[in-house]
Every structure is written in C-alpha cells, then in structure tokens.
C-alpha cells in the first residue's frame, strides 16, 4: 500500500479506500490496486505491481469491468505518467483533472 499512498500525490482527484485508489465519474470507474510478487525463491525484490482496472457504466447503471493492465516501473514519476497516459487513452480524460 506504500506505493498507492505515494501515487496519491500524483492524482489529487483519487479517493484512497484503504484497499485501492478509485477515480469515478458518471460513466467510468478506474481502480488502482497494489500487488506484490510472492515468489520467495527469488533473491531480488522487484517493485510492486500496480493493476489499473477500467470499468464502464452499463445502461442499467452498474459498472462492468472492461479491461486491466499491470504496471511495474521502479521510478514513481514514470509510473504515474504511464498510468495517466493509459487511462487517458482508455477513457478519454485526464486523471489529474477528473475522469469524465
């Protein structure tokens, strides 16, 4: 969760639930969750994985999962930039402003 907490500085419109970061609008929901590689046989520690899930609102008002992508970049600024670019291309909006 340390990496998600650090990413809050890059995305001021996000809500941190304690489990994930959420960006929500009338038509979209974007969730960022942190995952760790649990392969204890490896000696090197990799950066945590941030999974970005995109949800689209259906006609009945429920959000359904569209697609997701995993990001694992060691430099937080580069990680935030790539996540922002991915979401912007997927939903057509900037995370730093508001997901529309």
């Amino acid at each position: 969760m340390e990496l998600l907490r650090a990413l809050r500085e890059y995305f001021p419109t996000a809500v941190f639930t304690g489990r994930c970061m959420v960006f929500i609008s009338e038509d979209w929901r974007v969730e960022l969750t942190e995952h760790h590689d649990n392969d204890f046989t490896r000696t090197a520690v990799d950066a945590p994985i941030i999974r970005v899930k995109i949800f689209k609102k259906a006609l009945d008002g429920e959000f359904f999962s569209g697609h997701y992508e995993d990001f694992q970049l060691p430099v937080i600024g580069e990680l935030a930039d790539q996540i922002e670019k991915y979401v912007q291309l997927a939903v057509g909006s900037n995370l730093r402003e508001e997901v529309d």
Side-chain angles (χ1 to χ4, degrees):
M1 295 298 170
E2 296 164 22
L3 189 53
L4 281 181
R5 285 186 178 97
L7 283 171
R8 286 192 297 186
E9 299 297 319
Y10 289 87
F11 304 116
T13 60
V15 174
F16 183 64
T17 68
R19 184 185 67 78
C20 67
M21 283 179 47
V22 178
F23 306 87
I24 194 160
S25 74
E26 195 169 309
D27 296 320
W28 297 98
R29 176 184 172 98
V30 178
E31 288 183 2
L32 277 66
T33 53
E34 185 174 332
H35 303 271
H36 295 274
D37 186 1
N38 291 331
D39 184 358
F40 297 110
T41 62
R42 297 174 57 188
T43 56
V45 177
D46 291 329
I49 296 167
I50 299 296
R51 177 165 289 169
V52 179
K53 293 182 182 178
I54 308 287
F55 298 84
K56 175 79 171 145
K57 188 179 268 187
L59 294 175
D60 65 2
E62 296 293 319
F63 287 100
F64 67 94
S65 182
H67 54 277
Y68 72 88
E69 190 66 45
D70 292 338
F71 292 82
Q72 190 174 24
L73 299 166
V75 178
I76 192 163
E78 182 182 4
L79 175 64
D81 287 343
Q82 292 303 310
I83 289 171
E84 182 176 21
K85 185 185 299 184
Y86 174 76
V87 173
Q88 186 172 2
L89 290 172
V91 303
S93 184
N94 189 323
L95 284 180
R96 292 180 190 243
E97 295 166 6
E98 183 179 355
V99 179
D100 286 329

